[in-house]
């Protein structure tokens, strides 16, 4: 699909469209991308209201002293325009057939200072590569956009109400394509209960066009009543959170199935679902029972004390391949949120390798961002050989280029205020892939599923090669870089000694 100029296949090579294939088809995170939804920063986008599943805080301590969290208020129009412009630019890059990527030291309009960047420009025709310039021909990707809605209106159910909704910047959170099925997630926040409606027209259109092969499904919507939540969760101190870490209990309890679509990552016949603030065991069980053609595996990341969405934590990039040019599968991990040893056995035994994401190029976050600085690794794969990342992330760019990827960049920091970045703001509709078994050795599947007593926190050591399983052990890692976790000296001895 893509490749560096001069060594690449032509942009159309190998791109014979499956004329007979359904327009909804996505089994993996990496199959050649043909159609994708890109979110909107609508004029009435709001700050998340405070509710049982959400207690937001302003990141900037000086601003936080002056104003309370503006939950339920419409975001500043300048912030909305800036995010909208970056989302439009992303669409233009996706649609382009040829792009040039160069190194620059340039002004960043969100950080308000100059930074090192890898900058992508759309090219009309291939031009020469230089020392610091790469030119990529790529297959154009079709983009769809959600319906523009007014998110400032209050919403309610029989047992709850919310001052406003949120926004449509992150369709990844509410929608997922699993094979030929479009699935609407339950969500766990009241303000996001109806957010899928921004994508309803897209789902209906695709289903109506091919109802024999395309399914449009939803998990039963939860009551969102107070009974669904651990009411003390946001009152816990960090020390108490560490005490509870072994039990993976977050703000949503097990009363009803709950999941955000962004807690799921697809690897063909196997999908992996993070237990989190936004996904409970019952939600994972619902997925298991409703997708019998798939093998559903829970994943746990104990050092993330407020986990929400797997795409800043564990990112499969390409599968193992056999034959000439065959190689290991590859997944990017977050060194501050290492995966469990027990859950990685399946990956190790099936020919996958892990790679630490570099620490983010920038640790600053916009004042109203409710995501971590690990949006740095929130990338979108265009194919098993090509990815789109944020333009400031020059370290990640180098790592991925060194590992054989074509790396296209876009500016996306203005989206950080709107709940996500490059992966969050998309929803894959059509990839050229299939329900391939990339984990044939299933005997290494973790035995425990949905055990209430599950208390494993034995993670892989990100500073050791783990017998070759981890490609780039890092000494940079230190428990406590992340605002969600304690510094090593603050952590209980049992944890700090890990
Ligand atoms: N919506 C993705 C955010 C994940 C994170 O903050 O790490």
């Amino acid at each position: 699909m893509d490749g560096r100029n001069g060594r690449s296949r032509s942009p159309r090579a190998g791109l014979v469209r499956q004329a007979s294939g359904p327009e909804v088809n996505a089994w993996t995170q990496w199959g050649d991308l043909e159609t994708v939804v890109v979110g909107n920063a609508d004029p009435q986008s709001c700050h998340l209201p405070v509710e049982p599943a959400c207690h937001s805080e302003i990141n900037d301590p000086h601003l936080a002293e002056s104003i309370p969290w503006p939950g339920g208020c419409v975001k500043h129009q300048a912030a909305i325009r800036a995010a909208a412009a970056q989302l439009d630019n992303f669409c233009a890059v996706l649609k382009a057939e040829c792009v040039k990527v160069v190194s620059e030291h340039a002004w960043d309009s969100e950080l308000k200072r100059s930074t090192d960047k890898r900058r992508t420009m759309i090219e009309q025709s291939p031009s020469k590569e230089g020392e610091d310039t790469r030119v990529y021909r790529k297959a154009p990707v079709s983009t769809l956009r959600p319906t523009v809605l007014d998110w400032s209106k209050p919403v309610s159910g029989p047992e709850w109400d919310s001052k406003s909704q949120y926004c449509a910047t992150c369709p990844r959170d509410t929608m997922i394509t699993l094979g030929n099925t479009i699935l609407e997630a339950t969500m766990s926040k009241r303000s996001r209960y109806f957010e899928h409606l921004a994508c309803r027209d897209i789902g209906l259109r695709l289903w109506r066009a091919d109802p024999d092969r395309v399914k449009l499904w939803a998990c039963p919507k939860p009551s969102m009543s107070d009974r669904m939540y651990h009411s003390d969760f946001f009152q816990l101190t960090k020390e108490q959170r560490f005490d509870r870490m072994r039990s993976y209990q977050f703000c949503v309890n097990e009363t009803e199935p709950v999941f955000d679509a962004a807690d799921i990552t697809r690897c063909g016949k196997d999908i992996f679902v993070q237990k989190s603030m936004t996904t409970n065991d019952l939600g994972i069980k619902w997925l298991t029972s409703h997708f019998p053609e798939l093998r559903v595996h829970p994943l746990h990341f104990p050092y993330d004390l407020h986990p929400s969405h797997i795409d800043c934590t564990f990112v499969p990039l390409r599968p193992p391949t056999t034959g000439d040019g065959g190689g290991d599968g590859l997944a990017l991990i977050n060194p501050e949120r290492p995966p469990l040893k027990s859950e990685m056995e399946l990956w190790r035994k099936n020919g996958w390798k892990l790679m630490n994401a570099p620490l983010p190029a920038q640790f600053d976050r916009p004042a109203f961002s409710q995501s971590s600085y690990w949006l740095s690794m929130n990338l979108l794969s265009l194919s098993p050989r090509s990815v789109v990342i944020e333009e400031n992330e020059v370290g990640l760019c180098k790592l991925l280029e060194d590992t054989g990827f074509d790396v296209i960049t876009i500016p996306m920091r203005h989206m950080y205020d709107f709940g996500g970045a490059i992966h969050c703001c998309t929803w894959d509709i059509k990839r050229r892939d299939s329900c391939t078994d990339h984990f044939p050795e299933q005997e290494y599947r973790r035995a425990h599923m949905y055990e209430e007593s599950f208390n494993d926190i034995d993670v892989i050591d990100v500073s050791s090669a783990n017998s070759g399983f981890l490609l780039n052990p890092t000494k940079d890692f230190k428990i406590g870089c992340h605002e969600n976790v304690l510094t090593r000296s603050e952590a209980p001895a049992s944890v700090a000694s890990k």
Side-chain angles (χ1 to χ4, degrees), residues 308-309 311-312 337 371-372 419 424:
S308 169
H309 306 161
D311 51 5
C312 293
R337 305 171 183 169
S371 304
S372 71
C424 305

Side-chain angles (χ1 to χ4, degrees), residues 18 22 33-34 53 74 123 134 173 175 241 250 277 283 316 322 333 377 400 408 434 451 456:
Q18 295 162 314
L33 186 65
E34 293 190 3
V74 173
E123 292 272 275
R134 294 191 177 199
D173 299 354
M175 307 295 300
R241 282 292 314 124
F250 305 107
M277 302 272 290
T322 52
I333 63 166
M377 61 184 283
L400 291 168
I408 296 168
S434 58
E451 282 167 19
D456 184 359

Side-chain angles (χ1 to χ4, degrees), residues 369-426:
S369 171
Q370 294 305 295
S371 304
S372 71
Y373 50 62
W374 287 105
L375 288 176
S376 60
M377 61 184 283
N378 191 252
L379 56 82
L380 181 73
S381 292
L382 302 185
S383 79
R385 302 167 302 282
S386 173
V387 293
V388 185
I389 70 167
E390 215 282 334
E391 66 175 17
N392 283 285
E393 299 304 329
V394 289
L396 179 62
C397 181
K398 178 163 185 345
L399 178 71
L400 291 168
E401 283 176 352
D402 289 351
T403 325
F405 288 92
D406 296 345
V407 184
I408 296 168
T409 60
I410 52 167
M412 198 37 68
R413 287 193 59 91
H414 285 294
M415 252 291 292
Y416 290 13
D417 238 349
F418 291 75
I422 294 170
H423 193 251
C424 305
C425 76
T426 56

